[in-house]
Amino acid sequence: MIYMDNAATTRLSGRALEAMMPYLTEQYANPAGTYSFTHASNAAMEKARKQVADVIGATSAEIFFTSGGTESDNWALKGTMRANEKKGRHLIISAIEHHAILHSAKALEREGFEVTVLPVDADGVVAPEAVEAAIRPDTVLVSIMAANNEIGTIEPLEAIGAVCKRHGVIFHTDAVQGFLKVPFQAKTLGADMISISGHKIHAPKGIGALYIRKGMKPAAKLLPYIMGGHQENEMRAGTENLPQIAAFGVAAELGRKEQKHAAEHMEQLRAHIVERLQQELPGVVFIGGGAPHVLSLSLPGYRSEVLMNFLDRNGICVSRSSACKQGRRSHVLEAMGLSPKVIDGAIRVSFSRYTTMDEADALCD
Ligand code: PLP
């Protein structure tokens, strides 16, 4: 089996698995306890928090663990809009956001909030000028993703962050596909909140985090989303998922150490596939691009599911476009203005640092 769907999820790294084992077996204490048996749990949680924070140059106090990218996105949008109702009820997102953002925005609309959905250009890029033009006196939040999950396009976040800062608008980015793929530091990005997820970086499924910039003043500008106990500095209730948090920390640290090398490796895979297909597959169209792990391509005249099933029968896993929607045309490809023929023949190939050049050749063959 050749796995080329790493934008959907990645294999768990052996070191991350090892890191979680003590907290699934002997070290089962609840980190919230006060007796000494809890100390190791607490220390492990704070170690992992720092490991995750270090990837984006944040402080540990700015990292809040969640159940994944979807929860982080829901929290950022709903928590911010509901906390700032007095300031305004206007939210700006882009047309190519993940459904965790799109559906959260739709839910907010049903609560009476107003949403502006910004278009993208033919490469899937949101113009910072368009963000600026859409900002109104009652705009509370702008949420634009870091790297797109279907086409890998990297958004100009620093410029968008600067626009938001100039207008005093809160800025969130869904960096689930950008984290450890596209180098960025929280401070230079200018984001107030950043969503990240573990299972895209070789940690287990069901763990993620929301970075909340220190100056964001939680509770005043952002309401907790999950209510209950006092965990995560009163911002995200629920007994912490310590085994997965420990694994997330280790995966983040390993990813940080390998990031440059992994990105170069994946760029080489991508360049090699593009070169071969351009020569050997007449009519192939490459779509978007930017993040090293995603290659979106189309064979106009063929249907994605046929291509995908054909590759599957040959032991190669790729996805239609996004793993999250079955049987519907991609909203991302539609927003880019691509022709129905190109959209209907599109597949997404996505790599990890474990993907080999032989596997890339097998895909081309
Ligand atoms: N945002 C983006 C851009 C994604 O690609 C994904 C997952 O595919 C998510 C959010 C959701 O993350 P999770 O699967 O951790 O809930």
Side-chain angles (χ1 to χ4, degrees):
M1 192 266 283
I2 294 176
Y3 184 73
M4 290 207 178
D5 197 17
N6 290 278
T9 198
T10 58
R11 80 179 301 155
L12 181 64
S13 97
R15 296 266 297 277
L17 175 64
E18 264 172 42
M20 65 198 288
M21 289 313 284
Y23 310 101
L24 289 168
T25 51
E26 287 80 21
Q27 195 53 59
Y28 53 83
N30 188 326
T34 49
Y35 38 87
S36 45
F37 181 37
T38 64
H39 294 174
S41 299
N42 226 310
M45 197 165 69
E46 293 319 311
K47 183 176 170 201
R49 204 184 299 284
K50 176 148 179 17
Q51 285 168 318
V52 171
D54 282 349
V55 175
I56 56 169
T59 62
S60 291
E62 294 171 311
I63 300 296
F64 296 78
F65 289 116
T66 65
S67 65
T70 299
E71 183 189 322
S72 299
D73 285 350
N74 271 264
W75 181 13
L77 261 61
K78 295 174 188 169
T80 308
M81 295 311 293
R82 290 171 185 163
N84 292 276
E85 274 193 89
K86 286 208 178 81
K87 176 174 185 257
R89 299 174 72 79
H90 183 229
L91 159 71
I92 299 172
I93 62 170
S94 86
I96 62 164
E97 297 299 314
H98 188 271
H99 281 116
I101 295 289
L102 294 177
H103 291 171
S104 295
K106 272 262 163 293
L108 285 166
E109 260 180 349
R110 287 194 291 273
E111 290 178 28
F113 292 94
E114 270 185 75
V115 182
T116 297
V117 182
L118 294 178
V120 294
D121 68 13
D123 294 317
V125 177
V126 179
E129 300 75 33
V131 176
E132 183 142 37
I135 291 177
R136 320 187 308 210
D138 62 340
T139 305
V140 166
L141 174 68
V142 170
S143 178
I144 306 289
M145 71 200 319
N148 183 270
N149 46 305
E150 293 188 33
I151 52 170
T153 298
I154 300 170
E155 299 300 335
L157 292 191
E158 289 191 17
I160 294 171
V163 165
C164 293
K165 196 163 178 201
R166 216 166 35 244
H167 291 271
V169 170
I170 299 169
F171 177 38
H172 165 254
T173 184
D174 171 346
V176 167
Q177 296 290 345
F179 185 62
L180 283 172
K181 304 296 186 328
V182 183
F184 69 84
Q185 294 285 289
K187 296 266 167 331
T188 47
L189 210 60
D192 297 294
M193 293 174 288
I194 303 174
S195 298
I196 56 179
S197 174
H199 73 108
K200 312 287 185 183
I201 64 148
H202 308 288
K205 293 156 189 59
I207 185 71
L210 184 65
Y211 156 88
I212 306 174
R213 190 175 61 78
K214 192 160 163 258
M216 245 307 266
K217 290 203 199 75
K221 290 193 173 161
L222 175 71
L223 292 175
Y225 183 55
I226 307 264
M227 318 274 176
H230 303 290
Q231 292 89 355
E232 297 296 290
N233 208 9
E234 315 258 342
M235 288 300 287
R236 199 280 188 182
T239 302
E240 297 88 348
N241 188 349
L242 187 54
Q244 301 216 15
I245 288 173
F248 189 22
V250 166
E253 184 172 325
L254 280 176
R256 182 171 62 82
K257 289 182 178 152
E258 300 250 333
Q259 182 168 4
K260 194 164 168 287
H261 177 249
E264 284 166 5
H265 173 64
M266 292 188 287
E267 299 277 13
Q268 279 169 7
L269 295 172
R270 200 172 57 164
H272 180 71
I273 294 172
V274 167
E275 196 185 321
R276 269 199 67 186
L277 295 189
Q278 258 167 351
Q279 284 171 8
E280 299 173 41
L281 203 55
V284 65
V285 176
F286 296 101
I287 304 167
H293 65 307
V294 179
L295 174 62
S296 172
L297 59 96
S298 173
L299 281 176
Y302 290 83
R303 294 195 67 84
S304 329
E305 50 269 42
V306 175
L307 293 169
M308 207 181 69
N309 291 340
F310 167 74
L311 289 170
D312 189 23
R313 280 199 304 281
N314 284 274
I316 302 175
C317 311
V318 302
S319 90
R320 254 190 65 199
S321 52
S322 145
C324 309
K325 56 170 107 52
Q326 253 107 46
R328 285 221 220 119
R329 242 187 215 149
S330 153
H331 67 284
V332 175
L333 304 185
E334 281 191 327
M336 293 168 79
L338 296 172
S339 72
K341 240 182 160 178
V342 171
I343 297 178
D344 291 344
I347 56 168
R348 178 187 69 182
V349 181
S350 50
F351 318 113
S352 81
R353 60 176 186 262
Y354 301 117
T355 312
T356 66
M357 202 48 101
D358 283 348
E359 291 177 324
D361 272 322
L363 172 85
C364 296
D365 291 342

